Amino acid sequence: MKRKFAMLLTGIMAMSMLAACGNGSSDSTSASASESKSKSETSSLAVSKSEDESTPAKETTILVAAAASLKNAYDDKLIPMFQEANPGVYIEGTYDASGKLQTQISEGMEADVFMSAAPKQMNELNDDGMIETDTMTDLLENKIVLIVPAEGESGLTSFEDIVKADSIAIGDPASVPVGQYSEEALTNLGIWDSIQDKVSLGTNVTEVLNQVAAGSADAGIVYATDAASMPDQVKVVAEAPKDSVSKAIYPVAVVKNSKHGTEAKAFVDFLKSPEAIAVFEEYGFTNALS
């Protein structure tokens, strides 16, 4: 009897120990799961925070429609200068004859800034309500010059001597400001009509410059800044007499329908800064603000 009682007691004690072990394991598993969940949540927050911190600032690209004669100064120095000082703002330049750019803006090109090589195109867009009038600024002045190929002797020494050339490159007066200045000067000098059978019309000033540089034209009329960009290929023989032609003024302004008005105005303001004016002067332009 005592033996049976002892075996029963031993069994009860064994069951109690197993129960106790079971509870401990459950508590440990629960604690482990809770700790794992906490670590997981902490890790998730860390990733989220990291992702927030690494998200780049919003980038903005503004389109600047500018006269072809501005391309070198813009691309070489002015655009890089502005972008370095304004992280996240990028400038895309499109360059052509001012008349062409005027037409493209009128037809819906989403330009943010317009800079023409003559007041005519800017004023017409402004009259059509397409320019932020209070941002319009006459920024630069250029000179109208007669050029010939650098090699060889042309025999031309004055603007009037253009009549001696067998082939002449001139910007199309219908859309190219330098062509309009050329027609004005040659008309006032009384020789426009006499050269018409020798003239080939360029679609922009760069085309005129390249024709003379390649020797496909004996003479051409361009801006002084264009001639300065190819000193080894063309040479200036004369400047248009001041009483024969209007000043070649370059106005700049924000386009009214710009989707990035703040950035566009900042770029226009930058172009008026002493640092930007110094660059323009380096490329042969004259400051029209002074």
Side-chain angles (χ1 to χ4, degrees), residues 221-232:
I221 299 177
V222 298
Y223 296 115
T225 54
D226 297 294
S229 71
M230 288 188 175
D232 297 332

Side-chain angles (χ1 to χ4, degrees), residues 3 54 83 102 104 146 148 152 204 224 228 231-232 258 281 283:
R3 183 179 180 184
S54 65
Q83 290 180 163
Q102 174 194 357
Q104 290 171 4
L146 176 64
V148 296
N204 57 51
D232 297 332
S258 169
E281 290 176 339
Y283 280 77

Side-chain angles (χ1 to χ4, degrees), residues 143-165:
K143 302 298 181 185
I144 308 301
V145 298
L146 176 64
I147 60 171
V148 296
E151 299 295 329
E153 291 298 326
S154 67
L156 310 186
T157 58
S158 70
F159 218 78
E160 293 87 339
D161 283 344
I162 195 172
V163 297
K164 300 177 182 178

Side-chain angles (χ1 to χ4, degrees), residues 22-39:
N23 289 339
S25 176
S26 177
D27 291 345
S28 174
T29 300
S30 177
S32 177
S34 176
E35 182 180 355
S36 176
K37 180 179 179 182
S38 175
K39 288 181 177 179

Side-chain angles (χ1 to χ4, degrees), residues 65-71 74 94-106 109 111 113-125 131 142 171-181 202-206 223 226 248-252 285:
S69 50
L70 293 163
K71 185 178 190 303
Y74 268 48
T94 181
Y95 309 100
D96 210 326
S98 299
K100 285 186 178 180
L101 296 174
Q102 174 194 357
T103 298
Q104 290 171 4
I105 292 172
S106 296
M109 180 173 70
V113 172
F114 179 46
M115 188 166 182
S116 59
K120 177 179 181 291
Q121 293 76 23
M122 183 70 74
N123 291 337
E124 288 179 357
L125 283 177
I131 295 295
N142 214 333
D172 186 351
S175 61
V176 185
V178 74
Q180 294 158 8
Y181 290 125
T203 60
N204 57 51
V205 68
T206 303
Y223 296 115
D226 297 294
I249 299 296
Y250 286 57
V252 64
F285 293 96

